[in-house]
């Protein structure tokens, strides 16, 4: 059974003009404000550990904004105008040039990048964590549900078959608990 696709996924997120007006532009405006704040608070060099909390907060906010904007570069999910992509890439280059590195400022960013990379390579509803681990995925009432970590794609594919069957039989929770405890 296919997942429930809500209107905002099928229509709004496919409307490049809406994404530009309601997502990209507000985020770019916030990024410009944060960059001005970073410039005003910076002493010209890199502040390091003793960095002012306002400066650190502005840099962390920039990292979160850049993370959100970088998701819009995934063309297979979000159709974008070239000028929007160009502005996002320019911001990314500016942050890199200023030494504002996402992974250093927000450890969640490394995990997010790994997940996004894996999801963009997703096949057969199997998520790969950089080839180190594999997870089966099924939808239950419009919600994605993930199987346990597996060492091989083949194991995850077997899990997916079990999870799909369990969904049809309305015993997904039980099946997932058994998998996590080493059963099934």
């Amino acid at each position: 059974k296919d997942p429930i696709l809500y209107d905002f996924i099928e229509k709004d997120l496919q409307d490049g003009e809406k994404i530009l007006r309601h997502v990209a532009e507000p985020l770019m405006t916030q990024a410009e404000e944060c960059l001005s704040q970073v410039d005003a608070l910076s002493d010209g060099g890199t502040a390091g550990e003793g960095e002012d909390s306002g400066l650190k907060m502005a840099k962390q906010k920039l990292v979160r904004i850049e993370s959100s904007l970088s998701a819009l570069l995934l063309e297979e999910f979000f159709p974008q105008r070239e000028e929007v992509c160009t502005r996002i890439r320019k911001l990314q280059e500016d942050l890199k040039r200023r030494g504002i590195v996402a992974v250093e400022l927000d450890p969640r960013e490394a995990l997010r990048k790994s997940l996004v990379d894996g999801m963009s390579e997703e096949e057969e509803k199997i998520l790969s964590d950089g080839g180190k681990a594999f997870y089966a995925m099924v939808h239950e009432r419009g919600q994605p549900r993930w199987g346990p970590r597996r060492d091989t794609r083949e194991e995850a594919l077997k899990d997916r078959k079990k999870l799909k069957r369990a969904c049809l039989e309305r015993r997904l929770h039980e099946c997932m608990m058994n998998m996590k405890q080493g059963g099934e």
Side-chain angles (χ1 to χ4, degrees):
K1 194 172 189 180
D2 288 332
I4 298 169
L5 295 178
Y6 299 97
D7 278 348
F8 75 90
I9 293 172
E10 290 187 319
K11 294 178 185 160
D12 296 344
L13 292 179
Q14 299 306 310
D15 184 338
E17 189 60 39
K18 274 189 177 180
I19 292 173
L20 173 66
R21 191 172 51 253
H22 298 291
V23 180
E25 285 297 336
L27 286 171
M28 292 300 287
T29 300
Q30 282 188 347
E32 290 163 8
E33 291 169 5
C34 285
L35 285 170
S36 295
Q37 190 177 9
V38 166
D39 290 341
L41 293 171
S42 290
D43 58 347
T46 53
E49 286 183 29
E51 181 167 73
D52 175 73
S53 64
L55 179 58
K56 187 174 182 178
M57 182 75 80
K59 286 181 175 182
Q60 287 176 328
K61 188 173 179 182
L62 276 166
V63 166
R64 300 307 322 143
I65 291 169
E66 188 276 331
S67 178
S68 298
L69 286 169
S70 67
L72 296 178
L73 293 175
L74 299 171
E75 294 174 12
E76 61 269 25
F77 300 116
F78 306 106
Q80 286 304 321
R81 295 180 175 166
E82 188 53 41
E83 66 262 20
V84 174
C85 295
T86 301
R87 286 182 65 196
I88 293 170
R89 288 186 190 101
K90 185 176 181 265
L91 173 67
Q92 290 173 326
E93 290 168 11
D94 193 17
L95 294 178
K96 196 178 293 183
R97 190 174 43 257
R98 292 169 182 253
I100 300 173
V101 181
V103 178
E104 292 173 10
L105 292 168
D106 189 344
R108 297 174 298 181
E109 194 58 26
L111 176 61
R112 184 206 64 83
K113 181 173 177 3
S114 170
L115 289 172
V116 168
D117 288 348
M119 285 168 49
S120 58
E121 296 173 0
E122 188 176 315
E123 299 171 19
E124 305 168 17
K125 304 288 185 195
I126 302 295
L127 174 71
S128 168
D129 181 11
K132 295 178 236 164
F134 299 88
Y135 305 85
M137 191 268 291
V138 294
H139 277 90
E140 178 187 40
R141 291 183 231 133
Q143 296 255 332
R145 302 291 303 269
W146 301 94
R149 178 187 194 281
R150 298 297 186 204
D151 293 328
T152 67
R153 178 177 297 281
E154 291 73 26
E155 291 174 307
L157 279 170
K158 288 178 185 175
D159 283 353
R160 173 143 165 80
K161 289 178 184 176
K162 290 176 188 175
L163 293 171
K164 280 178 65 174
R165 186 175 46 249
C167 272
L168 293 172
E169 296 170 358
R170 300 201 183 278
R171 55 176 205 83
L172 181 62
H173 180 74
E174 173 190 340
C175 179
M176 291 182 79
M177 294 307 291
N178 283 340
M179 287 178 151
K180 287 180 182 179
Q181 295 170 355
E184 258 189 76

